[in-house]
Amino acid sequence: MYWDPMPTVAASADLGVVNRPGSELRLGPPAAYLRGAWADRDWRNVPGPFYGARTDSCWVGREVAPGHIVYEDEFGSEIVYRQPRNAVEAHLVLTAAWNDPYRAYAVDGDEHWTLSLVREWWADRTRLMSWIDDLRQRWSSSERADERDNAAGLSDFAGYVESGLETDLRVYGFWLDNRRPPRPAEALPQLGRS
C-alpha cells in the first residue's frame, strides 16, 4: 500500500527537531529547508517524493534517519535509500533535511518521476548494487565509526534492493499513474526485467 507523505510534510512546521530533544526547536515551514533541485538529485536516491540533491557532508542524516539515509563516497552527500512509510518515518527524514545546512533535500519527486523514469532507474540497479558493494567493502573495516555505520546502512540498502524495493516501486508507479493507492484487486505495473 502506498502512503502519501505530503499531508504530513504540509503539517510539519510545528513538529520538534528529533535530534534536539528538550529544545524548543521546530522544523518550521518545509519550503524554508526543502530546497533541493531535481537537476541536482543524486542518481542513487530511490524513486519517491524525498531525495537528496547535493546535500552537505556533515553526516547527520544517518544519526537522525538511519533506516532511510546513506552517504555517498565522493562528497559525503546524503541519499534517501528508503522512502518514509508513515508519519513517524517522514518526521525523521524531514529532521535530516532540516539539519542540512545547504537545504538541499527536496520532496517534489512526485512532480518529476514518471513510471517510465522509475523503470529506467530500476533497470540501472546493477550499477547501483556495484556501487553499494564496493563502498560497503571499503568502509566496513574502516577505522572511522561513521564509515562503518554507513557500511551497515549500505547493507540495509542492498537488502532492500534485493527484497522489497521492486514491490514498493511498482506501488509507487501505480500512484504516479493514478494519484491514488491501488485497491487490493488492482494489478500493479511491471518494472521490466527482474
Side-chain angles (χ1 to χ4, degrees), residues 51-64:
Y51 59 91
R54 295 188 184 172
T55 65
D56 74 322
S57 57
C58 296
W59 287 30
V60 176
R62 282 196 53 76
E63 292 177 15
V64 178

Side-chain angles (χ1 to χ4, degrees), residues 5-16:
M6 298 316 292
T8 299
V9 172
S12 66
D14 290 329
L15 292 176

Side-chain angles (χ1 to χ4, degrees), residues 53-124:
R54 295 188 184 172
T55 65
D56 74 322
S57 57
C58 296
W59 287 30
V60 176
R62 282 196 53 76
E63 292 177 15
V64 178
H68 302 275
I69 308 292
V70 292
Y71 311 120
E72 56 87 18
D73 53 335
E74 187 175 0
F75 302 107
S77 297
E78 299 177 2
I79 298 165
V80 177
Y81 78 88
R82 181 179 288 129
Q83 295 290 325
R85 293 181 249 192
N86 58 49
V88 171
E89 292 180 2
H91 186 193
L92 295 174
V93 176
L94 287 167
T95 297
W98 181 90
N99 277 277
D100 176 32
Y102 293 168
R103 307 296 190 226
Y105 275 81
V107 72
D108 64 352
D110 289 357
E111 297 171 23
H112 302 283
W113 284 109
T114 63
L115 179 55
S116 178
L117 289 176
V118 170
R119 286 176 171 143
E120 288 177 27
W121 186 93
W122 181 249
D124 199 27

Side-chain angles (χ1 to χ4, degrees), residues 163-178:
S163 178
L165 178 57
E166 181 177 10
T167 299
D168 287 351
L169 291 179
R170 291 177 67 203
V171 171
Y172 184 56
F174 185 96
W175 168 266
L176 290 171
D177 276 356
N178 300 282

